[in-house]
Amino acid sequence: MTTKQLFAANALLPTGWARDVLVAWDGAGRITHVAADSAAPAGTPVAPGPLIPGMPNLHSHAFQRAFAGLTEYRAQSQDSFWSWRNLMYRFAARITPESLESIATWLYIEMLEAGYTSVCEFHYVHHSPDGTPYADDATLSLALLRAAQRAGIGITLLPVLYQTSGFGAKPPRADQARFIRSTDSMLSLLERLATATQALGANLGLAPHSLRAVPPDSLTAAVQGLTALNPQAPIHIHIAEQTQEVEDCIAWSGQRPVQWLLDHAPVDKRWCLVHATHMTPQEYADAAATGAVAGICPTTEANLGDGIFDMPLWLQHGGRWGVGSDSHACVNAAEELLMLEYGQRLSLRQRNVLATAAQPEVATAMTLQAVQGGSQASGRAIGGLAVGQQADMVALDAQHVALAGLPAHSMLSAHVFGSHRTSAIASLWVAGAQRVAQGRHVLHDSAAQAFVAARSMTIAAG
Ligand code: ZN
């Protein structure tokens, strides 16, 4: 197998910052060698600035990228997540296989240019607008896989099980028809997609949408079916995003959603609890103890007015976490970290809340933890610059005005907290293949054009 290598004067390894690091990987893109205090062998490419691990994006609804910016106006006396959702459903009704592929291709390119090297796609629009399955039932899933392949981003595809409109098996609404599947139909889809994902080096899991959308029997059967297919496959669920959802769950079962889930499902390291925003201190302790990852989407949670996740409490219990761009109001790995830390600062009136004793630079501590959690939630070996992990790497631009002349250990902090919505990312590699050079993806212009056309068409179809 061909080996490739890269030298970086400063690199963020799982143990922290190291100097003069040589990274080598094999033809499959797996890291075979990482050594600090090395000399660069003649002819070895040199990173243009600090080398950091690529960030896994653990929560994405790709089609919503084309919807960003369209709901930032007041439509009723008090707008909420639920009024936003009505508008989003109207938009979802107009997505076609072609438009989804164009939107997702551009989105994944944006992700790469913004420091994400892989994505967990929580995919719930399955059928044609009236709810009839496409001739090939996997049409929209395959459109997403093609988009990921074209962009060159790693992907964990999570087809979504959606069956009811509310707790107590409330029948679905007409505008949810595109999402609805029986458990058997979901398991057939997963079988169909197992080969396609494997061929691409992608991973396949399952996303029971939420407790309001999946009745208990279906949840049990779907998780069992998935486990029979692959005992390691990841499982993601939206869990306690809205206080209304918590109240409805209590009215239905006498329990809060996280409490109910932990009592009724085999939650463990395979699980990612997305938007576990509204938990009691006991739920924080119990959920962290399962080893599940908390999927936090700071900019979307801010955009939708969800609430603030209690990071210090989660970390106190050893909780694992990662970040997602979810609705794509923002697609920028650094900005998710910034928003997460700022939410904690605002609510606690403290600074550097997420720094640790081992990593006092808050951006360093957050990056290492979010990469670990994101890797676990993706079910892929993308956990950082270490032997055996995939060579998913980002080189910052040491000449960018936000970074130039700073001490190396402050450059990541400047990238996260001081780059003022510009990007200090120079290069990015996925499985050792360079996808971004001088800040741009090779398909940037053509994919942007196709995205704008697809978005205009989707808006005009309304
Ligand atoms: Zn979501």
Side-chain angles (χ1 to χ4, degrees):
M1 275 186 176
T2 355
T3 299
K4 290 192 180 172
Q5 48 192 16
L6 180 70
F7 180 82
N10 295 281
L12 182 56
L13 307 184
T15 45
W17 286 99
R19 289 191 60 81
D20 298 329
V21 173
L22 186 65
V23 183
W25 57 94
D26 64 18
R30 193 144 295 216
I31 297 176
T32 52
H33 175 90
V34 181
D37 306 316
S38 300
T44 304
V46 176
L51 190 69
I52 61 173
M55 183 63 73
N57 185 339
L58 59 61
H59 194 62
S60 162
H61 308 290
F63 79 88
Q64 292 181 13
R65 173 62 186 91
F67 186 58
L70 291 174
T71 59
E72 309 303 326
Y73 61 93
R74 185 176 289 174
Q76 54 189 53
S77 63
Q78 195 180 345
D79 272 319
S80 67
F81 170 87
W82 306 103
S83 59
W84 170 84
R85 195 182 69 160
N86 286 335
L87 297 170
M88 187 268 287
Y89 278 0
R90 264 187 255 160
F91 193 80
R94 302 176 223 145
I95 294 292
T96 66
E98 295 74 24
S99 65
L100 179 64
E101 189 168 337
S102 298
I103 293 164
T105 302
W106 169 244
L107 169 67
Y108 296 158
I109 286 171
E110 282 185 306
M111 286 186 191
L112 292 165
E113 291 181 349
Y116 292 116
T117 39
S118 67
V119 58
C120 295
E121 185 59 46
F122 197 107
H123 164 54
Y124 61 88
V125 182
H126 296 297
H127 309 306
S128 62
D130 67 356
T132 318
Y134 287 103
D136 178 349
D137 186 37
T139 295
L140 292 174
S141 296
L142 294 172
L144 290 165
L145 290 175
R146 276 196 304 274
Q149 192 186 17
R150 237 177 115 216
I153 197 167
I155 185 167
T156 296
L157 183 64
L158 303 161
V160 172
L161 188 63
Y162 204 117
Q163 297 184 332
T164 58
S165 68
F167 292 98
K170 266 199 198 152
R173 298 167 22 164
D175 55 9
Q176 294 168 331
R178 301 193 77 174
F179 319 155
I180 305 303
R181 275 184 187 278
S182 69
T183 308
D184 284 347
S185 145
M186 172 53 69
L187 294 176
S188 316
L189 177 72
L190 291 175
E191 272 176 44
R192 163 99 166 72
L193 289 171
T195 335
T197 43
Q198 212 165 20
L200 290 177
N203 199 7
L204 180 67
L206 170 75
H209 179 275
S210 56
L211 295 181
R212 66 176 191 270
V214 182
D217 290 354
S218 300
L219 180 65
T220 305
V223 168
Q224 281 172 357
L226 175 77
T227 304
L229 202 64
N230 173 5
Q232 269 90 48
I235 303 163
H236 290 216
I237 186 168
H238 291 137
I239 194 63
E241 181 170 9
Q242 290 288 320
T243 48
Q244 178 70 55
E245 183 180 17
V246 175
E247 284 157 24
D248 291 351
C249 188
I250 294 171
W252 164 67
S253 69
Q255 289 186 300
R256 304 167 61 86
V258 171
Q259 200 181 14
W260 190 96
L261 185 74
L262 298 182
D263 278 357
H264 294 87
V267 177
D268 63 9
K269 287 192 306 207
R270 291 166 68 194
W271 288 67
C272 178
L273 308 178
V274 182
H275 312 305
T277 310
H278 299 289
M279 293 195 284
T280 60
Q282 192 60 48
E283 287 178 309
Y284 272 93
D286 294 346
T290 64
V293 173
I296 307 172
C297 306
T299 60
T300 292
E301 289 161 9
N303 185 278
L304 297 178
D306 286 351
I308 295 177
F309 186 79
D310 189 339
M311 283 298 287
L313 188 54
W314 184 245
L315 295 175
Q316 185 192 314
H317 293 296
R320 301 159 194 209
W321 62 278
V323 291
S325 59
D326 191 1
S327 70
H328 315 302
C330 163
V331 179
N332 184 328
E335 208 166 321
E336 295 301 338
L337 299 181
L338 174 139
M339 180 64 78
L340 179 57
E341 167 70 18
Y342 278 2
Q344 308 296 311
R345 291 187 190 189
L346 287 165
S347 70
L348 297 169
R349 287 172 286 162
Q350 292 173 16
R351 297 193 73 248
N352 298 321
V353 177
L354 298 178
T356 62
Q359 302 297 345
E361 296 263 358
V362 66
T364 298
M366 293 177 86
T367 298
L368 289 174
Q369 291 179 22
V371 167
Q372 280 296 322
S375 170
Q376 182 181 318
S378 307
R380 303 174 69 241
I382 49 175
L385 304 180
V387 171
Q389 300 298 302
Q390 194 169 284
D392 285 9
M393 313 178 291
V394 178
L396 301 181
D397 175 7
Q399 301 309 313
H400 186 281
V401 68
L403 275 55
L406 297 184
H409 66 89
S410 299
M411 286 193 183
L412 179 57
S413 301
H415 171 57
V416 170
F417 292 101
S419 53
H420 303 182
R421 306 196 94 177
T422 66
S423 178
I425 291 172
S427 321
L428 176 142
W429 295 259
V430 178
Q434 187 164 2
R435 299 300 181 194
V436 174
Q438 288 167 338
R440 278 169 83 86
H441 189 284
V442 67
L443 298 177
H444 182 106
D445 290 337
S446 59
Q449 218 171 19
F451 163 74
V452 171
R455 180 172 62 186
S456 301
M457 211 185 65
T458 310
I459 293 168

